[in-house]
Amino acid sequence: MDAVNPDAQRVVRAEIVDSGPSVDEVLAAVRHPAAGAVSVFVGVVRDHDGGREGVVRLDYSAHPEAAAQLAEIAEEVARMPGVQRVAAVHRRGELEVGDTAVVCAVSAGHRGQAFDACRALIEELKARVPIWKKQLFDTGSTEWVGL
């Protein structure tokens, strides 16, 4: 482990990307011989939001510091009990219904630790990382979320 930042080896990916993310790559990144469990969250674009039907596309935008904020959250999660490795990848740009928007994965010694850490990772990502989405509806109207 890194002597300056002991969590550096545990956070294997914390990125904002223009394509992907690959569930298989994120899952492979968190594998660890001491981990008896891996929990994965995959967020996909749905055809409705906030009680409104007809979403056809999203356009995600990210603040220039979004990746650094995501890395900070991943480091916090890496310090949770039993956690071995942490990865989180969020997409930016245009996505269609059914596309993968975010993948989070955590490996830990036991399933409860993995579940708790993965849930904390996605919840903190959604609450703190400056990523916004513009929704396009089948009517041609748009709506910004997260501003």
Side-chain angles (χ1 to χ4, degrees), residues 75-89:
E75 288 175 7
E76 292 169 11
V77 170
R79 290 190 289 271
M80 292 177 70
V83 169
Q84 295 300 322
R85 292 202 174 140
V86 176
V89 181

Side-chain angles (χ1 to χ4, degrees), residues 65-66 68-74 76-77 120-131:
E65 295 176 13
Q69 182 66 43
L70 180 55
E72 183 178 309
I73 292 165
E76 292 169 11
V77 170
L121 181 58
I122 188 58
E123 296 297 341
E124 290 300 312
L125 182 160
K126 296 300 269 180
R128 296 170 37 199
V129 178
I131 296 173

Side-chain angles (χ1 to χ4, degrees), residues 4-143:
V4 177
N5 182 358
D7 301 320
Q9 297 295 332
R10 292 180 184 216
V11 176
V12 292
R13 275 186 90 179
E15 297 178 86
I16 310 297
V17 297
D18 294 321
S19 64
S22 163
V23 175
D24 290 338
E25 288 176 8
V26 174
L27 180 60
V30 299
R31 292 200 184 278
H32 189 277
V38 176
S39 184
V40 178
F41 172 82
V42 179
V44 298
V45 177
R46 62 181 177 254
D47 66 358
H48 65 281
D49 188 50
R52 189 169 174 193
E53 300 293 325
V55 173
V56 294
R57 187 173 63 244
L58 300 179
D59 188 4
Y60 281 103
S61 300
H63 189 278
E65 295 176 13
Q69 182 66 43
L70 180 55
E72 183 178 309
I73 292 165
E75 288 175 7
E76 292 169 11
V77 170
R79 290 190 289 271
M80 292 177 70
V83 169
Q84 295 300 322
R85 292 202 174 140
V86 176
V89 181
H90 199 296
R91 177 85 186 269
R92 84 179 132 223
E94 289 189 6
L95 288 86
E96 303 292 328
V97 171
D99 286 347
T100 300
V102 60
V103 179
C104 295
V106 177
S107 62
H110 301 282
R111 69 179 172 272
Q113 296 166 327
F115 283 136
D116 292 347
C118 193
R119 181 176 186 98
L121 181 58
I122 188 58
E123 296 297 341
E124 290 300 312
L125 182 160
K126 296 300 269 180
R128 296 170 37 199
V129 178
I131 296 173
W132 311 281
K133 65 181 176 183
K134 181 179 178 182
Q135 302 183 123
L136 175 67
F137 293 89
D138 56 8
T139 60
S141 64
T142 62
E143 175 182 65

